[in-house]
Amino acid sequence: MKQIIKNIYHVGDNECSVYMVDTQSDQGLVLIDAGMNLNMIKRISSLGLRFEDIQHCILTHCHIDHIGACAELKRALPDIKFYAHELDATPIEEPDHDGRTAASWYGVTYEPIKLYRKFESDTTLTLGNCDFQCIHTPGHTPGSISVLVESEGKKVLFGQDLHGPFNDGFLSNLQDYQLSMQKLLDLKADILCEGHFGIFQPADKVKQYIETHKFQNQP
């Protein structure tokens, strides 16, 4: 659990990396994904932050390791608002009948939650003093998104699961993925907060990471 740059934090890793942005406003704290364990998120007090101030959670895609704690989070914080792309909304909001959440990979059952807002395209979500550029980056799943936030003049990219994996059960599409990775490269981000493999900086390391996986995952 650490600060990455002013007002942006790595909460920890619990099957996936969970990140947090402090809007420094009445909009409180914003989670990027929720992981699978609420206890980890509650430990943000070690950073001088309050669990009760979490008001929003942006979900990058529908997989259980990123959304498994959402129902528990909603019970603890009834007013929290969840966001995701509409193309991943069904497995997030309904019981998982077709395996798209990959819950069976972990031997658990997914408990659905309702989304406050479903993105239809690239969208800028303004919360307090922060603009969250929610960028549709399909490939891993149809509704995968990446999130770009600026802090201290640097572009911070939350690009969860840019490495994959890809399979038919996820409705993965490698042609879409190639276009998505080029879109992210064009952003020229300074810091990449990835979903499983850590934090990459400066900009040349971000570029190298994305290009490596883009090359390895050709259609």
Side-chain angles (χ1 to χ4, degrees):
M1 194 169 297
K2 65 179 182 180
Q3 180 170 298
I4 300 168
I5 194 170
K6 183 180 178 182
N7 301 326
I8 298 179
Y9 303 87
H10 176 213
V11 175
D13 299 286
N14 181 12
E15 301 300 343
C16 87
S17 295
V18 175
Y19 299 100
M20 179 176 289
V21 178
D22 184 355
T23 68
Q24 292 194 306
S25 73
D26 60 1
Q27 293 299 311
L29 306 173
V30 181
L31 286 174
I32 310 294
D33 287 334
M36 294 183 71
N37 189 317
L38 198 59
N39 290 333
M40 180 185 75
I41 298 174
K42 286 183 175 179
R43 292 199 294 269
I44 63 171
S45 59
S46 67
L47 297 169
L49 303 170
R50 296 187 342 129
F51 174 78
E52 295 79 11
D53 289 337
I54 299 173
Q55 297 188 35
H56 308 271
C57 181
I58 300 173
L59 302 173
T60 62
H61 62 290
C62 63
H63 288 162
I64 190 72
D65 49 330
H66 297 258
I67 65 174
C70 287
E72 191 179 1
L73 192 57
K74 183 68 174 178
R75 284 191 288 273
L77 302 169
D79 294 328
I80 191 170
K81 298 178 174 68
F82 293 98
Y83 307 80
H85 194 278
E86 64 175 2
L87 294 179
D88 272 20
T90 296
I92 292 172
E93 293 191 307
E94 299 178 9
D96 186 16
H97 298 301
D98 56 10
R100 284 186 59 194
T101 66
S104 62
W105 291 25
Y106 296 85
V108 300
T109 300
Y110 172 62
E111 184 178 351
I113 52 98
K114 289 298 180 184
L115 294 168
Y116 175 76
R117 182 174 173 187
K118 305 170 193 178
F119 304 127
E120 297 177 0
S121 59
D122 293 0
T123 303
T124 297
L125 181 66
T126 300
L127 299 171
N129 300 316
C130 294
D131 289 332
F132 296 80
Q133 294 183 46
C134 299
I135 304 158
H136 187 207
T137 48
H140 180 48
T141 71
S144 289
I145 64 171
S146 301
V147 183
L148 188 72
V149 177
E150 293 199 23
S151 176
E152 298 188 313
K154 295 188 180 297
K155 297 178 181 179
V156 183
L157 177 64
F158 301 96
Q160 307 284 62
D161 291 19
L162 299 189
H163 59 282
F166 307 92
N167 66 52
D168 291 342
F170 296 165
L171 305 183
S172 301
N173 186 304
L174 285 175
Q175 291 181 327
D176 286 347
Y177 171 79
Q178 291 291 315
L179 295 172
S180 294
M181 293 307 98
Q182 188 57 53
K183 184 188 287 189
L184 294 185
L185 287 169
D186 291 343
L187 294 173
K188 302 185 185 305
D190 299 289
I191 302 172
L192 169 64
C193 301
E194 216 271 347
H196 296 273
F197 291 104
I199 299 162
F200 299 85
Q201 56 182 315
D204 61 337
K205 291 187 178 180
V206 175
K207 181 175 182 286
Q208 181 182 24
Y209 181 87
I210 298 173
E211 285 184 336
T212 297
H213 289 282
K214 183 175 185 286
F215 176 77
Q216 290 175 350
N217 294 292
Q218 297 287 333

